[in-house]
């Protein structure tokens, strides 16, 4: 694949760029200090306006295995937007032992205070840690990134780990990719270090070895100047067993990619050796590199290299003093023109599908003016077998395919990194959503999917719309509405002017899905016998009624909503009748209709 | 490969270059900041002295940059984006003080008509402007007038790549050491090798940041790590511009004019061979003798490598493999050409679509209705079809605008005649349809009027600016295509409130009609404009400068219609 090849070529240049900044030396510096001074805890420091938080790599001085190699679900731990993390519910899993360590630190008042300060200051943050401290840093970053999702202009978060074990499974890696958080994680892995590869192997057979290994590492890390303690080292035979055992599993993983791995890398891996460094963000390439570099090591180097990050960081930040132009030139000779070209080709694609969209607009208008006065939602839902309806049906599918392919390319990093912030695409996707989602909802209820799967809002909404919601929410105030080549307006949410006429498109694209649920409530409420359920149903109905009336009053709905025979108009009428009808019972159920608080 | 001496290539005689170098050094002793002498072939040389005070270098911001003064440099900006170049504030102040010097103001050579354009030759000059500066020089095709000689190891051309905060401690020692007027000038006893190598390391490290960051972007890195790291560090805004000649120190020269390559080579050529060479290289970086160097390399047989020829050049000497760096970067530069080629391939379809819209306009006029009004009513399926065409064109033009916004097209794109013409045609023909659509959907109630900040699509703002820049027109003077938006805006308000605006608009209309920039459809009997104008108070109309127009234009159109019906018979 061209795209993969090109991203691999920038890897050295990217490592060079990172190496020229003070980020790595500052991070490592604090990691080293926290190893010595803050076992089982962390240190913070502020350098040049950046807050550094380093977690000690010494988390269990008694040598108890800090991780168990067992995965547990992460669900419910992080305050994430459930809609954006569809996989999170039960499939995202992390190592139970590492999660426990994170949890212990997270609940300390010191940590809570630090996080409070960070959230308040809105300054950039670096989470970092050596060894197991790196895993805690990664979990902390994940937590803060999830938290910051709900905040406008959040501070930048980056996580540097040094020789950290892997922390989670494939769904975690995928979720991070979908959130476009891969760039917030940079794992430094030295050529031979065993720890980052360890969790490819089952731990049970090597528990004793590990126990001793961690003990000796911790003693060394915990002593200033990394004095090696000769007494506690593993014997040559044990080292060799450990190395070959892990190597076997790393090799197996690398040779058969895509098999059901328990632990999977995520984010960027910066592989360092004495010759230089590369940054890689493709998971398959990372696994391959993890294997190839490890295989060239030896039983003793795989253990010693875990303690060599000091010298690697030094070399990386001095690499600008070494002329390695061959390497640079070689990597430069092939050109990574794909992302921009992809983006340009997509733009052509967009202009090609624009007529499809315009036809749907035309369809909407003709429905709105038609004699049956159904509005385009109901017209489409109740459509017959006319050629025109079929065409709209096909256009809807073509548009959906196009937008799915856009999202797919973005998630595979085949588009410029700021693609989803470009006004043209944000506006075009929003307009598409407002125009076409009602048709998708209509199709969903027309084909009875809701009876099979449940309501659209919960089960049926295509992921693309949720993503477009996010783009729209996060759009940088492009004060300019300009590249908007949409023929119907997208209102800026903050516009103070009251509309003098109805919007061209209903501003909440899920309006019809919400109505479908409200229809069901109205149906149910008359047949429901349990008074508690009746109360709950009435509350929901009233909530929707208020919401819908609000939209109508503010003229944020398109005219089709109010068409004489539209589902909404019919629903309003049904509700009126129902209310009249149920006034007879209002003595029985006081407080429902006149909105008093129900105890 | 095109051979030739540096003199032939640059149009400046070698002896003049050497004289200029000599004068440049001599000028350091000048009290007024510059000296003037006549060279061998009647060339007049102005030489400007350097400065060695920290204040002249760094002012407030970490990189001491300021927006360029457009009243002095009207072209040093991007046209469509209208971004002004950033330049070094300290250097600009020095320039201003020379400019205000009465003796300099009396120089009759400063501005004269038919002479060949002035040229600029620098020797070890720091970087002065940012990427917009470079972009503007390339667009105006002025880059060829700037020739910069840079010693391979000379640190001064790299200094502005580092923020002042990073070199604060050593900087004044360094300047003192470099100052020919100081008693410590080039005295090794006055500068510790620690200071020299610390300074060298910091500048080089920052140069590495800038060079690798730009290279990643040029290579189209999609890794969001790049963006995130960039938000943690502040990178120097300065970039090279013009043509560079690197002096390698052994009589050889390397000639490059691709600014991206120059940036990379500024960094790579300065690197020491290995860590043990740092102190030596740092010392060499502060002792550059341009007069000697140029005497050696310019006079007699020249040994120049021209890296502009997009060819693999074997460079045997000193492992200084600039050639392959350059080949790689020229390839990267090809991305912009590739983009341009793709955009150019749209020309026929744009022309065809625009022709179809022009035909629609004509059909409407034949029916005695302006296409603005017909489109606004959207009665017929024909109007709908034009809407699709409008959207197709908008897509194509927006793509150009998007690329320009990110400077992904060659620097000269916005001054290409064919595109300026096509853009003007597009704007005149299609912008009225956009306005019609805007008011048809009452977008003004959603987001404000079409003419508010950000209401008008960039595709029209850009194409208008192209024309204005090319014809050296005043900014905003070619806004006749927004005529309908002005009408819509005014006619929504009562006469008394808008009286002044109406008079101003009428004046503009009068002018545009004179210049043939507004078309007849505006004055058709049923047009939004004519209908609205008729509602204005009689008194106003009788005094208006447009009094006669309506009649006259109606008459003309009727005459033309008669003509065309004759042809059909």
């Amino acid at each position: 694949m061209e795209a993969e090849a090109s991203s691999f070529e920038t890897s050295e240049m990217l490592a060079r760029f990172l190496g020229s900044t003070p980020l790595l030396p500052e991070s490592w510096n604090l990691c080293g200090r926290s190893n010595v001074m803050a076992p089982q805890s962390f240190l913070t420091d502020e350098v040049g306006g950046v807050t550094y938080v380093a977690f000690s790599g010494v988390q269990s001085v008694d040598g108890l295995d800090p991780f168990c190699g067992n995965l547990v679900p992460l669900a419910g731990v992080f305050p994430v937007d459930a809609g954006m993390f569809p996989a999170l519910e039960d499939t995202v899993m992390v190592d139970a032992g590492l999660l426990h360590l994170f949890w212990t630190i997270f609940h300390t008042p010191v940590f809570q205070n630090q996080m409070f300060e960070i959230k308040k200051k809105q300054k950039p943050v670096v989470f970092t840690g050596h060894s197991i401290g790196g895993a805690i840093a990664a979990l902390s970053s994940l937590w803060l990134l999830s938290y910051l999702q709900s905040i406008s202009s959040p501070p930048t978060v980056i996580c540097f780990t040094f020789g950290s074990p892997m922390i989670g499974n494939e769904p975690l890696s995928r979720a991070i990719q979908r959130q476009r958080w891969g760039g917030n994680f940079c794992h430094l892995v030295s050529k031979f270090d065993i720890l980052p590869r360890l969790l490819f192997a089952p731990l049970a057979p090597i528990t004793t070895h590990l126990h001793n290994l961690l003990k000796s590492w911790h003693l060394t890390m915990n002593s200033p100047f990394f004095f090696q303690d000769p007494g506690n080292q593993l014997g040559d035979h044990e080292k060799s067993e450990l190395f070959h055992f892990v190597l076997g599993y790393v090799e197996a993983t690398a040779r058969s990619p895509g098999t059901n791995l328990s632990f999977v890398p995520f984010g960027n891996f910066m592989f360092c050796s004495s010759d230089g460094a590369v940054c890689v963000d493709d998971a398959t390439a990372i696994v391959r590199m993890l294997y190839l570099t490890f295989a060239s090591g030896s039983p003793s180097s795989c253990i010693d290299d875990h303690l060599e990050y000091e010298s690697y960081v030094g070399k990386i930040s001095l690499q600008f003093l070494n002329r390695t132009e061959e390497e640079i030139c070689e990597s430069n000779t092939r050109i990574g023109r794909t992302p921009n070209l992809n983006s340009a080709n997509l733009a052509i694609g967009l202009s090609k599908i624009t007529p499809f969209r315009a036809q749907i607009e035309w369809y909407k208008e003709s429905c709105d003016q038609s004699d049956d006065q159904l509005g385009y939602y109901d017209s489409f839902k109740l459509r017959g077998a006319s050629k025109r309806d079929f065409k709209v049906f096909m256009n809807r599918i073509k548009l959906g395919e196009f937008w799915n392919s856009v999202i797919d390319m973005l998630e595979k990093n085949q588009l410029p990194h700021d693609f989803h912030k470009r006004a043209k695409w944000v506006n075009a996707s929003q307009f598409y959503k407002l125009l076409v989602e009602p048709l998708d909802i209509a199709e969903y209820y027309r084909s009875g999917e809701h009876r099979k799967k449940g309501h659209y809002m919960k089960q049926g909404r295509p992921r693309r719309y949720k993503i477009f919601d996010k783009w729209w929410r996060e759009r940088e105030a492009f004060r300019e509405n300009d590249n908007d080549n949409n023929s119907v307006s997208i209102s800026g949410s903050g516009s103070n002017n009251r509309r003098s006429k109805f919007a061209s498109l209903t501003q909440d694209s899920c309006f019809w899905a919400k109505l479908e649920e409200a229809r069901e409530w109205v149906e149910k409420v008359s047949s429901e016998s349990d008074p508690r359920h009746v109360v709950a149903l009435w509350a929901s109905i009233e909530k929707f009624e208020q919401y819908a009336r609000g939209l109508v009053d503010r003229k944020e709905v398109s005219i089709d909503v109010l068409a004489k025979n539209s589902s909404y108009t019919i629903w309003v009428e049904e509700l009126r009748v129902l209310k009249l009808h149920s006034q007879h019972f209002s003595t029985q159920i006081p407080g429902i209709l006149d909105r008093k608080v129900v105890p | 490969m095109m051979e030739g001496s540096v003199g032939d290539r640059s149009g400046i005689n070698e002896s003049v270059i050497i004289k200029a170098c000599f004068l440049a050094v001599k000028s350091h002793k000048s009290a007024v900041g510059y000296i003037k002498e006549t060279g061998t072939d009647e060339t007049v040389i102005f030489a400007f002295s350097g400065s060695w005070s920290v204040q002249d270098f760094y002012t407030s911001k970490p990189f001491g940059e300021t927006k360029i003064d457009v009243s002095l440099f009207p072209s040093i900006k991007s046209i469509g984006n209208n971004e002004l170049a950033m330049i070094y504030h300290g250097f600009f102040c020095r320039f201003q003080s020379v400019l205000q010097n009465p003796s300099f103001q009396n120089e009759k050579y400063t501005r004269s008509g038919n002479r060949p354009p002035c040229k600029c030759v620098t020797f070890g000059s720091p970087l002065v402007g940012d990427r917009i500066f470079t972009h503007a020089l390339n667009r105006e095709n002025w880059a060829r007038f700037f020739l910069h000689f840079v010693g391979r190891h000379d640190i001064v051309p790299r200094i502005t790549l580092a923020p002042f905060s990073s070199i604060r401690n050593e900087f004044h020692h360094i300047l003192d050491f470099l100052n020919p007027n100081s008693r410590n000038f080039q005295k090794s006893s006055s500068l510790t090798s620690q200071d020299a190598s610390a300074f060298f390391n910091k500048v080089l490290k920052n140069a590495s940041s800038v060079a690798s960051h730009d290279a990643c972007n040029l290579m189209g890195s999609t890794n969001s790590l790049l963006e995130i790291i960039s938000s943690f560090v502040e990178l120097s805004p300065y970039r090279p511009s013009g043509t560079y000649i690197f002096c390698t120190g052994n009589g050889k020269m390397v000639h490059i004019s691709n600014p991206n390559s120059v940036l990379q080579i500024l960094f790579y050529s300065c690197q020491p061979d290995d860590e043990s060479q740092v102190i030596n290289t740092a010392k060499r970086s502060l002792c550059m003798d341009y007069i000697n160097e140029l005497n050696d390399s310019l006079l007699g047989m020249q040994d120049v490598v021209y890296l502009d020829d997009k060819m693999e050049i074997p460079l045997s000497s000193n492992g200084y493999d600039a050639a392959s760096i350059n080949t790689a970067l020229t390839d990267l530069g090809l991305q912009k050409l590739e983009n341009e080629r793709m955009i150019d391939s749209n020309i026929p379809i744009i022309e065809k679509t625009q022709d179809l819209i022009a035909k629609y306009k004509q059909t409407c006029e034949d029916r005695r209705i302006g296409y603005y009004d017909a489109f606004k009513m959207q009665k017929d399926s024909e109007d709908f079809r034009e809407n699709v065409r409008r959207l197709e064109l908008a897509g194509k033009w927006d793509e150009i605008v998007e690329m320009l916004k990110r400077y992904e097209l060659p620097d000269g794109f916005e001054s290409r005649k064919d595109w300026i013409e096509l853009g003007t045609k597009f704007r005149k023909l299609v912008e009225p349809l956009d306005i019609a659509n805007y008011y048809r959907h009452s977008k003004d109630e959603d987001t404000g009027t079409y003419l508010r900040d950000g209401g008008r699509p960039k595709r029209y703002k850009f194409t208008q600016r192209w024309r204005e820049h090319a014809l050296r027109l005043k900014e905003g003077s070619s806004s006749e295509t927004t005529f309908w938006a002005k009408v819509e805006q005014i006619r929504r308000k009562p006469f008394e409130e808008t009286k002044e605006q109406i008079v101003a608009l009428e004046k503009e209309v009068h002018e545009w009609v004179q210049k043939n920039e507004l078309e007849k459809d505006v004055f058709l009997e049923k047009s939004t404009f004519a209908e609205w104008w008729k509602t204005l108070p009689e008194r106003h109309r009788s005094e208006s400068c447009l009094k006669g127009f309506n009649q006259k234009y109606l008459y003309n159109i009727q005459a033309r219609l008669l003509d065309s019906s004759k042809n059909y018979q």
Side-chain angles (χ1 to χ4, degrees), chain A residues 20 320 482 485 489 499-500, chain B residues 209 223 271 391 445-446 458:
Chain A
S20 73
F320 69 95
D482 43 12
N485 58 10
S489 77
R499 291 162 192 271
S500 73
Chain B
S209 288
N223 195 328
Q271 274 184 306
L391 289 171
E445 293 181 1
D446 281 344
K458 277 207 169 130

Side-chain angles (χ1 to χ4, degrees), chain A residues 380-398:
Chain A
F380 191 71
K381 196 176 155 192
L382 305 170
R383 69 181 185 272
S386 82
K387 202 176 149 197
R388 187 186 68 166
D389 290 324
F390 181 69
K391 202 165 180 193
V392 169
F393 181 80
M394 286 312 293
N395 285 353
R396 184 184 68 93
I397 289 179
K398 281 178 197 157

Side-chain angles (χ1 to χ4, degrees), chain A residues 17 20 268 317 320 322-323 336-337 339 347 365 413 422 479 482-483 485-487 489 495 499-501, chain B residues 205 209 212 219-220 222-223 271-273 319 335 391 399 402 406 440-443 445-446 453 458:
Chain A
F17 176 51
S20 73
N268 277 273
S317 55
F320 69 95
N322 296 321
R323 308 199 16 233
R337 66 170 57 137
E365 231 158 278
N413 274 355
R422 295 182 178 178
R479 285 175 48 234
D482 43 12
N483 285 324
N485 58 10
N486 309 323
S487 57
S489 77
S495 63
R499 291 162 192 271
S500 73
K501 60 183 193 185
Chain B
K205 192 161 193 158
S209 288
S212 53
M219 288 190 270
T222 52
N223 195 328
Q271 274 184 306
D273 292 330
Q335 167 77 62
L391 289 171
E399 194 50 33
E402 289 271 322
R406 290 188 299 277
R440 167 178 147 75
H441 288 290
S442 307
K443 283 200 198 184
E445 293 181 1
D446 281 344
D453 248 12
K458 277 207 169 130

Side-chain angles (χ1 to χ4, degrees), chain B residues 255-268:
Chain B
H255 178 285
I256 322 168
S257 54
N258 172 353
N260 290 321
S261 308
V262 174
L263 177 67
Q264 300 298 321
I265 289 170
L266 270 177
F267 165 63
Y268 285 109

Side-chain angles (χ1 to χ4, degrees), chain B residues 506-550:
Chain B
E506 286 172 340
K507 224 174 108 195
E508 275 182 312
V509 169
H510 187 81
E511 235 180 270
W512 289 330
V513 169
Q514 301 287 324
K515 289 191 198 152
N516 248 338
E517 279 172 359
L518 216 52
E519 308 229 3
K520 304 172 176 81
D521 61 296
V522 169
F523 300 100
L524 285 168
E525 201 180 349
K526 288 269 168 56
S527 87
T528 305
F529 177 68
E531 296 252 291
W532 163 73
W533 201 72
K534 271 185 250 159
T535 66
L536 296 179
E538 177 65 41
R539 225 185 99 129
H540 169 86
R541 279 186 289 152
S542 62
E543 289 166 3
S544 162
C545 59
L546 294 184
K547 199 169 49 174
F549 270 115
N550 271 12

